[in-house]
Amino acid sequence: MNHSSLKRLLRRTEIYLLGILVVLSIVLAIVNPKFLTLENIFDLLRNNSFLGILALGELVVLISGGIDVSFTAIATVSQYVMGVIISKYFIDNILVALLIPIPVGISLGAINAILINYTKVHPVIITISNLNVFYGLLIFITGGKWIYRFPHSFRTFAKLKLVTLVNERGIEYGLSVFTGFWILIAILTWIILKYFPIGRKIYAVGGNMEAARRAGFNIFKVQLFVYCYIGALAGLASFVQAQLAQIIQPNAIVGRELDVLAAAILGGASVFGGSGTVIGTVLGVLLIGIIKNGLILMKIPAYWHQVVIGLIIVIAAGITAYQRKLRKKKGLV
Amino acid sequence: MKVRNYQIIVLNSILVFLIVIMTILTKGRILRLESLQAVAFQMPLLGLLTLAQMVPMLTGGIDLSIVSNANLAGIIVALILTKLSGWYTVPLAILAGIGTALLVGALNGFLVAFVMISPIIATLGTMILIKGISLGITKGYIIAGFPKEFLFIGDGAILGIPMPFIIFLVSIFMVSLLLNKTIYGISVYMLGSNPIATEFSGVNIKSVLFRTYLLSGFLTGIASLVMIARFNAAQAAYGESYLLLTVLACVLGGVNPAGGFGKVSGLFVAIIVLQVVATGFNLLRLSSHLANALWGLILIFVITINRTITGKWI
């Protein structure tokens, strides 16, 4: 009974989000008709695919009751390793470029999981330390040099479209292949959480770790899975980011941890674990993306964007906390 | 009790080990007066911010907004210092800066204690919000050039002791007095170790939490004054790397991230450890990024050692 009421609550969070998205889109479309053009929407989806993929990884970690702030450093390291290999040996094969960062990300994620499991210290502390370690060592070893000489296939793949349309000025635009990556990862994450045994275990461990341990769950396996999963997605996202930017700068990704966390939390994932959905997270990323896009279209200086995002987080968290308080009161009576 | 002794021994051993290593590597330069004075000038900023982080952590919370808060307060101080002139400018600026920091602390306290948002999220929100306000006010520019009387806070000295260090010592003394000798302090530790028992023992949890974030705001305000007086400038994005460092310094100093345990004395040693690494690396002309990596490694090392020796954390 408790479970179904929780589910209902979550569904409501998503409906709120969807409602806000629709209202916001209508307002933005009235202010600037450009907003609702397919071209703008496709742009929005492409530009947010990097954050969208990472937010799905963070979702899985949050559901398990953990938190990861080191994924930006993991993404940076795996991106750099890929960049060095393909530019040094000039490997003109996009599949190789795609397959390098993912195992690097998985290995670094495994380091997080092992330390978190062994020390039993709050994951935020371990991942903060590892953010410093991974990133600090990378910059120290590489000297922070940029990489910008890429093989032909690396450059052409970025322009690949799943759907191609032509606008009234005769310029081609379309749904980027990276949006496809994002959709694919969303579906994969949804399937893992809903249909795989590990998905059920992630919810169980996040809901009540001690109960899950006593029920005979292997906590370490769950932790290993979630931190390696976000590591793998960090690797994939770093590939997307490198493709979109066509340059690898070691300082391009670190510092965006909180954007990703904000999107996942806005989407209804709880920092206490046990709750959160794929749809909520996707909507959270879209909401933040649309707000930023809308503010740009309304020509509001970039400095004020952060104020709006910060207010949204505080209000969203306030509503969630208020709902939890109501639920607790009901439970007590 | 014994367990915490282990931790203090581990931390002090690391400090001694680092000092010996750095003395050998720098051929004794780190023990010279200039180096020690550099430490005494640089340490207080991190130290004050870490104090501001410690109090919420003792209650089992965290304050991610301290650096943004320090920057906003710094910008308000800088605006008053550069736009007004008169005998009242410096005191007014200081009051306004601390007032701003207290206001942000009160907002955090309100969100955590009364709206009951988890501290990570509440202070994440205020962090982004406040940084946005700072950027909006300054448009990303730096406000620089303050009167001499104000700069004394950052580079002055009394009897050869750097002013920032004096401020730091006074703050440390005040905070340890508050934590160890007052009912408020006892409530903080109780709240951190067992919130439900604390509530049933008749402590007003909401009030204790609110005052905790207010105190954190106040210390942030002091840190802000030291920071902009040292840089002779204020900006929306100063010192962002300090945020993770404060958490690191707290944990290194024996503050349990889950709340309830941690002493100001441990924190003091931890800050010296971090500063010895930074100053030593500076003398050796090594990258500050390597220092960052080493800080992270030291923290993981301490946590792992504690876990191995004691079988549990704290």
Side-chain angles (χ1 to χ4, degrees):
Chain A
M1 195 191 84
N2 208 350
H3 189 72
S4 73
S5 72
L6 191 77
K7 244 185 171 171
R8 230 179 296 135
L9 189 89
L10 281 176
R11 213 175 293 143
R12 219 163 57 205
T13 310
E14 281 138 19
I15 283 177
Y16 280 140
L17 273 176
L18 198 65
I20 297 169
L21 265 177
V22 171
V23 172
L24 209 66
S25 304
I26 292 171
V27 172
L28 285 173
I30 293 169
V31 174
N32 190 334
K34 249 194 219 153
F35 177 77
L36 268 189
T37 58
L38 265 183
E39 200 174 349
N40 188 47
I41 292 170
F42 283 170
D43 266 1
L44 201 125
L45 287 172
R46 187 195 60 210
N47 293 340
N48 284 293
S49 44
F50 164 73
L51 285 183
I53 293 169
L54 286 172
L56 288 162
E58 191 68 55
L59 166 75
V60 173
V61 178
L62 285 173
I63 292 174
S64 82
I67 192 167
D68 189 346
V69 289
S70 70
F71 60 87
T72 51
I74 294 180
T76 305
V77 173
S78 38
Q79 187 183 54
Y80 209 86
V81 172
M82 170 188 74
V84 166
I85 293 176
I86 65 164
S87 69
K88 194 170 179 189
Y89 302 103
F90 237 70
I91 299 169
D92 201 3
N93 184 336
I94 200 67
L95 209 64
V96 176
L98 179 58
L99 287 179
I100 295 168
I102 294 173
V104 176
I106 291 175
S107 341
L108 296 179
I111 296 177
N112 277 334
I114 291 166
L115 284 170
I116 287 164
N117 189 268
Y118 180 71
T119 60
K120 307 277 182 288
V121 173
H122 195 287
V124 81
I125 308 293
I126 300 290
T127 54
I128 281 177
S129 311
N130 276 342
L131 170 73
N132 278 301
V133 174
F134 298 155
Y135 185 64
L137 287 179
L138 179 81
I139 303 291
F140 174 65
I141 293 166
T142 64
K145 279 196 237 44
W146 295 13
I147 303 173
Y148 40 79
R149 277 177 59 244
F150 299 114
H152 183 69
S153 66
F154 198 81
R155 276 174 280 139
T156 48
F157 188 72
K159 296 185 189 110
L160 204 63
K161 308 255 182 320
L162 299 175
V163 181
T164 309
L165 300 168
V166 178
N167 70 7
E168 67 274 15
R169 280 167 293 147
I171 299 164
E172 275 193 3
Y173 67 95
L175 192 65
S176 163
V177 64
F178 303 120
T179 309
F181 278 29
W182 181 16
I183 295 169
L184 220 70
I185 293 300
I187 294 171
L188 176 71
T189 310
W190 181 73
I191 290 174
I192 290 174
L193 288 174
K194 193 163 170 92
Y195 293 107
F196 279 37
I198 185 82
R200 303 278 99 194
K201 284 179 192 160
I202 293 169
Y203 276 103
V205 168
N208 189 337
M209 193 188 274
E210 199 44 48
R213 192 198 313 277
R214 286 184 194 170
F217 286 15
N218 187 336
I219 309 285
F220 178 55
K221 264 191 195 157
V222 173
Q223 286 173 332
L224 197 61
F225 178 83
V226 298
Y227 290 98
C228 288
Y229 190 66
I230 193 173
L233 294 195
L236 179 70
S238 77
F239 169 83
V240 171
Q241 199 270 345
Q243 283 272 316
L244 289 175
Q246 286 296 313
I247 185 165
I248 292 178
Q249 297 163 260
N251 61 355
I253 301 176
V254 167
R256 295 176 76 177
E257 305 82 28
L258 299 172
D259 283 356
V260 172
L261 254 176
I265 287 157
L266 191 60
S270 157
V271 280
F272 299 111
S275 65
T277 61
V278 169
I279 298 183
T281 305
V282 171
L283 289 175
V285 172
L286 285 179
L287 190 56
I288 289 184
I290 286 179
I291 290 165
K292 279 193 176 166
N293 189 275
L295 291 170
I296 291 167
L297 287 179
M298 287 195 282
K299 298 195 171 61
I300 290 170
Y303 319 115
W304 295 108
H305 295 188
Q306 284 213 354
V307 177
V308 178
I309 303 281
L311 270 178
I312 289 169
I313 294 174
V314 170
I315 292 168
I319 291 171
T320 317
Y322 182 71
Q323 284 175 338
R324 201 173 55 228
K325 209 154 107 183
L326 284 185
R327 204 154 29 112
K328 251 190 194 161
K329 261 193 193 141
K330 251 188 204 164
L332 282 177
V333 175
Chain B
M1 201 60 203
K2 260 185 197 160
V3 178
R4 249 178 292 157
N5 285 342
Y6 272 123
Q7 192 162 20
I8 289 164
I9 292 168
V10 170
L11 189 58
N12 281 309
S13 319
I14 289 179
L15 180 60
V16 173
F17 176 75
L18 276 175
I19 290 176
V20 171
I21 288 278
M22 287 299 176
T23 311
I24 295 168
L25 287 177
T26 61
K27 300 191 180 70
R29 271 185 298 158
I30 199 159
L31 293 179
R32 278 195 208 151
L33 193 65
E34 306 96 88
S35 308
L36 294 180
Q37 242 176 352
V39 168
F41 268 115
Q42 284 160 13
M43 198 175 82
L45 177 52
L46 176 61
L48 286 165
L49 286 170
T50 307
L51 272 182
Q53 185 68 272
M54 178 197 191
V55 199
M57 274 181 89
L58 286 176
T59 65
I62 197 163
D63 190 344
L64 297 176
S65 69
I66 46 172
V67 174
S68 304
N69 188 2
N71 282 321
L72 179 63
I75 287 164
I76 301 293
V77 175
L79 281 177
I80 294 175
L81 286 177
T82 51
K83 293 267 192 297
L84 299 177
S85 62
W87 61 268
Y88 53 83
T89 312
V90 173
L92 179 72
I94 291 175
L95 279 180
I98 290 183
T100 308
L102 276 173
L103 217 61
V104 176
L107 174 64
N108 283 329
F110 170 73
L111 292 173
V112 172
F114 296 103
V115 191
M116 287 162 67
I117 307 179
S118 79
I120 294 186
I121 306 305
T123 56
L124 169 77
T126 49
M127 177 189 95
I128 299 175
L129 183 73
I130 291 158
K131 193 182 167 198
I133 293 173
S134 299
L135 278 170
I137 294 174
T138 60
K139 302 202 165 36
Y141 291 119
I142 293 172
I143 308 172
F146 305 141
K148 243 190 190 155
E149 308 92 75
F150 182 78
L151 293 179
F152 186 75
I153 295 174
D155 60 13
I158 296 174
L159 302 171
I161 306 168
M163 198 55 199
F165 197 67
I166 294 173
I167 295 174
F168 179 45
L169 286 184
V170 171
S171 308
I172 274 208
F173 181 70
M174 267 174 38
V175 172
S176 63
L177 217 62
L178 258 176
L179 287 177
N180 298 320
K181 302 281 182 229
T182 66
I183 296 174
Y184 162 75
I186 296 165
S187 314
V188 164
Y189 282 106
M190 275 169 65
L191 179 60
S193 46
N194 193 337
I196 294 166
T198 312
E199 183 151 32
F200 281 122
S201 68
V203 174
N204 186 344
I205 287 190
K206 286 186 165 64
S207 152
V208 172
L209 272 177
F210 184 76
R211 279 183 284 165
T212 297
Y213 286 88
L214 212 56
L215 176 60
S216 171
F218 177 74
L219 291 165
T220 306
I222 307 270
S224 163
L225 297 175
V226 171
M227 177 166 77
I228 67 166
R230 272 209 63 72
F231 294 159
N232 194 8
Q235 198 218 49
Y238 272 143
E240 282 181 335
S241 62
Y242 277 118
L243 177 59
L244 299 185
L245 265 182
T246 59
V247 178
L248 214 144
C250 281
V251 177
L252 196 60
V255 177
N256 184 345
F261 298 96
K263 285 196 168 284
V264 177
S265 54
L267 197 110
F268 190 70
V269 181
I271 292 164
I272 299 179
V273 166
L274 294 178
Q275 196 60 54
V276 166
V277 173
T279 309
F281 273 46
N282 204 1
L283 287 173
L284 292 167
R285 291 178 201 284
L286 283 169
S287 146
S288 65
H289 290 288
L290 188 60
N292 269 325
L294 198 64
W295 284 328
L297 284 172
I298 289 175
L299 180 60
I300 287 176
F301 178 74
V302 170
I303 291 172
T304 313
I305 289 283
N306 279 333
R307 165 81 182 148
T308 310
I309 293 176
T310 63
K312 62 173 185 180
W313 169 251
I314 305 262

